[in-house]
Amino acid sequence: MEQPTESSPGEGSEIILDDSRFDVSRKVLLTDGFMTWFIKFGGVMVVAAVIGIFVFITSQVLPLFKGASVELDAATTTTEALPKGNYLGIAADEWMEKPLAIRDDGKFIYSDLVTGEVLESEFDFLEGDKMTALRIESGEDLIVAGTESGQVHLIEFSYSPTFKDGVRTVNEDLNLAFTGEFNGPVTKVSCGQSGDSRLIAVLTETEEGPHLELDLVQRKKSLISAGDWKEVGKTDLTETLRSDVAVQEILVTNRADAVLVVFENGEIDYHFRSGSGLNTELRQTFQPFADLNEKKIKNADFLLGDVSLVLTSPEGVNRLFSLYRSEEEPTRMFHQTKEFPALPDTPAFYSPSFRNKAFLTGTSNTATLRYATTETIRWESELPWEVTHALISRKSDSLLFLTEDRHFVRVPVDDPHPEAGIKAFFGKQLYEGSSEAKYEWQSTGGSDDFEAKLSLIPLIFGTLKGTFYAMLFAVPIALFGAIYTAEFLDPKNKVFIKPAMEVMASLPSVVLGFLAALWLAPMIEDRVPSVLCIVVLVPLGAFLFGMLWSRQPRNIKKYVREGYEFLYFAPIMLILLFLGWQMGPLVESLIFTVKDPNTGERVGDFARWWPSITGTAYEQRNSLVVGFMMGFAVIPIVFTIAEDSLSNVPDTLRTGSLALGASRWQTAWRIVLPTASAGILSAIMIGLGRAVGETMIVVMATGNTPIMEWNIFSGMRTLSANIAVELPEAPHHGTLYRTLFLGAVVLFLMTFLVNTIAEVLRQHLREKYKTV
């Protein structure tokens, strides 16, 4: 092939052009191909990693929404039936291996579910007497028995495992702790224990009629022994009984501070014991089923904690009454808080959980496991046996039934998260002690009977609140700064602004949180009026300076180089900052005044004025502090991306606008800003994502209280901060542990939703302004 030639002017020589100079070396082609595939592989791996993280988090969350699993087919039944007789109650060890049944003749019968043996205890407390009343307080490992002769016996039962030759054996023990004397045969009895005090409620039948007494027994512990239980005193409540209505049941709380007397007409008397003595008052009389035709009560017993009362009518209507104080009542009273679906027939048994607010109830041939807080049925089924008594294990991992044919049946249960559910996480709940349903987060408490409150709504609200105040502070400063830098500042000064912003962005959030908690919050705690003055004076001063400067004649403006006007405004801004800070106390004394309770005079005190006017709290670590410091972390992100978007607008648009007579500000506002709007929106959304996911600043600069109010002077708790604070203490695979992962899913979805909306708006703006 002939090579093209070209004659050089002025010379007769020819230049030969060789196409081989355009050939690319094999090394470059291999490198280019490798990097192309490497980048694609990296992108795919990033997407796979994000999907993998989401799948893992979701897998941790899904068990929260499963119901209870009760395996009736895997039930363990004793091979040998209990001896014939009338069994009044049952108890069991924590492993459900050696349950105990108590017969009306005072015999204690143990049934070993491992070996199948049935053992009759030699323990005899009646000594020829006849048992006429029985109450088993399983939560206190206590059996309370009343006799025909008027005696009340407190019997403590316990279990202990022993190991011999590799074989584990559960050993039982019964101990007669106290015997009290009363007048007449005992018909009803109950007992509650608080520390080293036990309150016994006893109903006896005397010649004058029913007689109700309270007996207080106590013990004094020593270094070497627990001490013996001794009677301290008695009090008579017979006057509160009805002459024409019999007593059906007596209940004493586990704090030994209240006695409930259930009458056969469906009424309940609530007696409260105050102090350490026997001073009692009748606080309330109520009828749980007053709205029904059949007002009687079939079953009445407490939930764990003895703050709520589970009641069932003979027709199976199941209601929950809890103690709380309404606005009209001076003390806590019982009110109906929940109602469950009715049982199909007359209730035959009831057992509360030892670990949470669940309870087991049912008829002779059906059983249902229910959870009080969420008002849900965890499990319900017909039973293949006729049941007389039932019990939930102490670990809530099995159910124990005593059948009509006197066999013990142990059924395994898997319900690790009964307090979870859509309603628990995102719905209003009526918690114990509360007069109204509300959203609340309180994962732990100071006692075993604590009711977990796991609503995510306060955390979502706190996340939105913190983000709102941070963006309210950051967006105006960042956007106006970006507009000024891109449109008005001398280009030579940009080399200093950009690195400064990058330094701001590089500051660790833990450092910003530390500064917010230990420096900023104490500094502005008593100087909020000064902050308000600065917020008003600085923008107003900037506006007036710009307006006056724009109206100056050219013979004055010529002395200031274009793009250096800020040098003249900087000292003015410093003066305004100083004046605003100094004016704060004066403004406070003139406007934010309250009456001094000591002198009766009006004094300036914003910290007391704000609660008196708004009815909301004023706290040192509040949303204002978070807004300032988190906004400081967001400003560099929004500024950098927005400034790049503004700077990338073609200069032809600017020069065309200026040539048509528009001012620099008009050009920036009406031409440059709309053209760069897609990039500016991206900047704001990325800043929003930074604020939503912020953790350390919120952890350190707020009170971390999960409250729901827009008050700028109160704190909040965000989803991310909640995960950071609670995850180290959450039991692995427990409800709290998985709920924190659910919070992570919600945070992920919030960020995804924001980014999706931002992308849709960005594409819309690009389409709208693509013609320019």
Side-chain angles (χ1 to χ4, degrees), residues 141-206:
D141 295 335
L142 185 67
I143 300 169
V144 188
T147 66
E148 189 176 40
S149 66
Q151 289 185 330
V152 172
H153 303 280
L154 301 186
I155 303 166
E156 298 170 342
F157 66 93
S158 60
Y159 293 88
S160 59
T162 58
F163 296 87
K164 185 176 181 181
D165 298 331
V167 179
R168 178 176 173 276
T169 305
V170 176
N171 301 308
E172 72 281 356
D173 184 52
L174 296 168
N175 174 50
L176 181 60
F178 173 78
T179 298
E181 301 286 344
F182 296 87
N183 297 322
V186 178
T187 57
K188 304 291 179 184
V189 68
S190 184
C191 180
Q193 179 173 342
S194 176
D196 292 326
S197 296
R198 282 174 174 169
L199 183 65
I200 310 171
V202 182
L203 182 71
T204 58
E205 190 65 39
T206 65

Side-chain angles (χ1 to χ4, degrees), residues 118 167 215 234 397 525 601 645 656:
V118 174
V167 179
D215 191 6
K234 292 182 179 180
D397 58 357
E525 179 183 9
E601 298 179 355
S645 300

